[in-house]
């Protein structure tokens, strides 16, 4: 859109004043601080979509029925698509190119959600991701329909449209296992015990510990804080776990505070050292996941080359 | 030259294709687009695009399959009988998918 005029430069105070749902777009001359914060947030989200797909991918092969296999493969395909939409939204900010962000992910500099650093061991663990983690992500994404960076909100519109299928398919697997044999129920409980603390950490440290939260909220990128989101998640997903006969582990302790109408989690019961190690991309299993992404990116390098420089490789073959 | 016109009704809306104009150049095309497509109906912004710049994928073309042709119910929230109303965003997603499904059925019926 080369012939569209640029709005005049906005300083950060003006941004804070105007901040509201879908308020800013590529034709606004945004201060660098805003563009950097938005890039950090959207790139993290995009990376998480891609790494989420890598967690689910092995279950295309391991699915117990053809219906499940088709649905899992459709989900993996959706997640990769979500990643692509988001890299586009981030690219519009002019801080990083899509290639740069993909390279950063492959070489271990790109950050992504804690839950996707833990590969899944078996089918019983799949609904932990598909129902609880995707459900948590949906809670968060729904609040981002009101983010101030318009291209981000547009990507979120399409993501939310598709995700209903993921969560319902995830719940359908959960319901099937929960009503299975005694052994199925035990294994489901084991998976839940293992994943529950990680799911509680999904929303990150509490607001007072969170580093970038204040600025992102002030400029309208984020529309709800970590604590409120975690409560909103627990409000509906905790009863779901109980509905399927899952026992909520005693630690980490989760209690509902009647006065504040909020769930409180005993933070000391959670392994924040591991969380921080993950946040630095140094958790061994998470490194394994990043390496997988790295190998795949390298393996298809020749395809990208062939597309971007058509004819370049054929001379040697002639 | 033919230019396709996309109209955005209000700020923050999506641009929607509303028709085209015949014009000798870009400048005139922008003017005609305003007269044709923004005079009565409210418009906040128009995109005016040379028709030949638009790449089209036609479902009638050979080798093209754009969903709907094969059984893909498994891709829809409506295919799973768990309850969607427990969380408003899941319910919203399902309602949007139901609307898309109705749109598909209508398109098929008109085929
Ligand atoms: Fe997704
Ligand atoms: Fe998903």
């Amino acid at each position: 859109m080369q012939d569209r005029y640029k709005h005049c430069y906005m300083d950060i105070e003006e941004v804070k004043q105007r901040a509201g749902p879908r308020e800013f777009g590529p034709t606004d001359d945004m201060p660098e601080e805003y563009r950097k914060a938005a890039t950090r947030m959207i790139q993290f989200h995009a990376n998480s979509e891609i790494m989420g797909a890598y967690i689910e991918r092995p279950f295309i092969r391991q699915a117990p029925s053809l219906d499940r296999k088709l649905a899992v493969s459709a989900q993996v395909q959706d997640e990769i698509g979500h990643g692509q939409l988001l890299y586009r939204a981030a690219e519009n900010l002019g801080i990083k190119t899509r290639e740069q962000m993909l390279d950063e992910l492959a070489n271990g500099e790109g950050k992504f959600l804690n839950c996707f650093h833990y590969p899944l061991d078996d089918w019983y663990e799949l609904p932990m991701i598909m129902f609880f983690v995707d459900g948590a992500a949906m809670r968060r994404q729904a609040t981002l329909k009101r983010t101030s960076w318009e291209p981000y909100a547009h990507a979120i519109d399409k993501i939310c449209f598709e995700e209903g299928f993921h969560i319902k398919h995830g719940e359908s697997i959960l319901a099937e296992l929960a009503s299975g044999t005694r052994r199925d129920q035990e294994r489901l409980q084991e998976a839940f015990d293992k994943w529950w603390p990680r799911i509680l950490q999904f929303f990150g440290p509490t607001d007072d510990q969170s580093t970038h939260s204040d600025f992102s909220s002030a400029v309208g990128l984020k529309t709800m804080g970590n604590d409120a989101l975690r409560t909103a998640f627990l409000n509906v997903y905790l009863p779901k776990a109980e509905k399927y006969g899952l026992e909520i582990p005693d630690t980490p302790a989760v209690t509902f505070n009647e006065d504040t109408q909020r769930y409180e989690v005993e933070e000391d019961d959670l392994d924040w050292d591991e969380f921080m190690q993950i946040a630095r991309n140094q958790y061994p299993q998470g490194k394994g996941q990043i390496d997988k992404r790295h190998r795949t990116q390298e393996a298809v390098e020749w395809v990208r080359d062939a597309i971007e420089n058509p004819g370049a490789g054929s001379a040697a073959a002639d | 030259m033919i230019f396709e016109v996309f109209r955005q009704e209000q700020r923050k809306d999506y641009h929607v294709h509303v028709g085209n104009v015949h014009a000798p150049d870009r400048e005139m095309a922008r003017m005609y687009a305003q007269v044709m497509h923004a005079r009565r109906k409210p418009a906040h912004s128009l995109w005016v695009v040379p028709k030949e710049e638009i790449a089209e994928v036609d479902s009638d073309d050979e080798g093209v399959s754009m969903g709907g042709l094969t059984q893909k119910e498994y891709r829809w929230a409506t295919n799973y009988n768990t309850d969607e109303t427990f969380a408003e965003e899941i319910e919203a997603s399902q309602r949007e998918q139901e609307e898309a499904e109705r749109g598909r059925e209508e398109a098929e019926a008109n085929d």
Side-chain angles (χ1 to χ4, degrees):
Chain A
M1 235 169 286
Q2 72 279 19
D3 51 5
R4 270 195 85 169
Y5 65 96
K6 279 265 182 191
H7 293 241
C8 42
Y9 176 79
M10 247 182 281
D11 65 26
I12 219 68
E13 280 319 306
E14 199 188 334
V15 172
K16 286 181 183 171
Q17 233 164 49
R18 275 184 53 189
R22 306 182 184 219
E23 190 60 35
F24 311 118
T27 53
D28 294 304
D29 193 2
M30 304 303 291
E32 195 179 19
E33 210 181 339
Y34 178 93
R35 290 186 290 120
K36 279 191 170 155
T39 303
R40 187 191 314 112
M41 185 169 162
I42 305 171
Q43 183 181 4
F44 181 91
H45 192 169
N47 290 344
S48 301
E49 298 282 354
I50 304 284
M51 297 313 286
Y54 275 75
I55 291 287
E56 291 181 0
R57 187 176 65 164
F59 295 93
I60 299 174
R61 190 173 288 172
Q62 294 172 41
S65 73
L66 186 57
D67 283 343
R68 296 285 187 217
K69 188 189 287 290
L70 286 167
V72 176
S73 94
Q75 264 179 259
V76 168
Q77 196 184 19
D78 283 350
E79 304 300 9
I80 298 292
H82 297 169
Q84 298 292 353
L85 286 171
L86 291 164
Y87 286 127
R88 280 288 308 122
E91 200 173 38
N92 269 332
L93 289 151
I95 298 287
K96 289 179 189 176
T97 64
R98 195 170 141 269
E99 284 70 27
Q100 230 174 320
M101 292 184 272
L102 284 167
D103 285 345
E104 285 179 7
L105 180 60
N107 67 29
E109 288 167 57
K111 303 296 168 64
F112 57 98
L113 277 171
N114 71 320
C115 289
F116 300 145
H117 287 253
Y118 305 97
L120 300 173
D121 284 336
D122 56 44
W123 184 254
Y124 295 87
E125 290 188 25
L126 190 60
M128 303 305 139
I129 290 286
M130 277 191 179
F131 184 62
F132 292 106
V133 175
D134 249 17
M138 254 310 252
R139 284 258 111 163
R140 192 164 164 273
Q141 280 158 350
T143 70
L144 293 172
K145 285 197 167 196
R146 287 176 289 118
T147 183
S148 61
W149 183 242
E150 190 184 44
Y152 192 18
H154 281 186
I156 293 288
D157 284 342
K158 183 154 193 297
I159 290 173
C160 287
F161 169 76
E162 294 179 351
E163 283 291 337
F165 147 55
H166 299 188
I167 281 102
K168 286 193 74 189
H169 181 230
E171 186 173 354
S172 151
I173 296 174
L174 180 64
E176 187 177 84
L177 296 174
S179 60
T181 63
R182 185 92 191 257
R183 185 76 194 113
D184 282 336
Q185 291 166 358
E186 280 166 15
R187 292 187 67 182
L188 192 63
Q189 182 68 47
E190 278 164 28
F192 187 71
D193 291 345
K194 178 169 161 190
W195 276 86
W196 185 238
R198 302 168 178 173
I199 293 166
L200 289 173
Q201 287 178 309
F202 172 95
F203 294 103
T206 48
D207 294 336
D208 52 325
Q209 304 289 321
S210 166
T211 24
H212 304 296
S213 240
D214 288 350
F215 181 79
S216 308
S217 305
V219 295
L221 283 166
K222 232 173 135 167
T223 64
M224 208 194 245
N226 297 354
D227 302 3
L229 278 168
R230 188 163 70 182
T231 289
F233 168 75
L234 289 169
N235 275 336
V236 293
Y237 284 87
L238 205 133
K240 278 284 184 188
E242 285 166 342
K243 177 186 166 185
Y244 291 110
L246 291 167
E247 228 173 278
I248 314 298
D250 289 338
T251 42
V254 179
T255 46
F256 189 73
N257 182 328
E258 293 289 343
D259 295 336
T260 57
Q261 290 294 304
R262 285 201 171 184
Y263 278 101
E264 271 156 26
V265 180
E266 187 49 60
E267 300 298 325
D268 292 342
D269 287 351
L270 292 164
D271 190 344
W272 291 105
D273 289 339
E274 184 172 289
F275 184 90
M276 290 321 288
Q277 196 187 8
I278 279 175
R280 290 190 302 268
N281 284 345
Q282 282 165 0
Y283 185 69
Q285 286 183 296
K287 273 179 153 172
Q289 289 302 108
I290 297 165
D291 287 345
K292 250 188 227 170
R293 171 63 204 160
H294 183 89
R295 285 196 301 275
T296 312
Q297 173 132 324
E298 247 176 15
V300 295
E301 184 66 39
W302 68 273
V303 181
R304 262 192 306 280
D305 260 3
I307 293 169
E308 275 161 23
N309 317 297
S314 64
D318 279 346
Chain B
M1 260 170 95
I2 307 289
F3 292 82
E4 297 294 342
V5 183
F6 300 78
R7 184 169 54 103
Q8 181 193 43
E9 209 159 282
Q10 284 174 33
R11 233 179 115 238
K12 305 183 188 187
D13 283 349
Y14 283 82
H15 283 74
V16 176
H17 183 239
V18 285
N20 51 35
V21 291
H22 198 133
D25 58 44
R26 280 174 91 86
E27 262 327 292
M28 294 293 271
R30 297 195 338 177
M31 205 168 84
Y32 292 165
Q34 273 179 63
V35 175
M36 298 265 287
H37 297 287
R39 207 156 55 102
R40 289 205 172 74
K41 293 217 168 156
H44 177 259
S45 137
L46 295 174
W47 287 346
V48 185
V49 192
K51 189 178 178 65
E52 68 262 29
E53 296 293 324
I54 295 179
E56 186 183 355
V57 186
D58 192 319
S59 59
D60 288 336
D61 287 351
E62 213 186 315
V64 172
S65 68
M66 289 191 278
L69 296 178
T70 43
Q71 300 279 69
K72 285 192 178 158
E73 291 95 347
Y74 60 85
R75 283 187 172 231
W76 298 94
T78 43
N79 192 45
Y80 302 92
N81 59 11
T82 57
D83 158 55
E84 74 277 7
T85 59
F86 75 101
E88 55 197 335
E89 65 279 10
I90 309 303
E91 191 175 3
S93 174
Q94 172 140 342
R95 295 292 101 84
E96 282 181 68
Q97 294 197 11
E98 283 164 357
E99 207 183 305
E101 208 172 340
R102 277 195 296 277
R104 264 197 336 276
E105 277 162 11
E106 273 165 35
E108 265 164 47
N110 294 334
D111 229 11

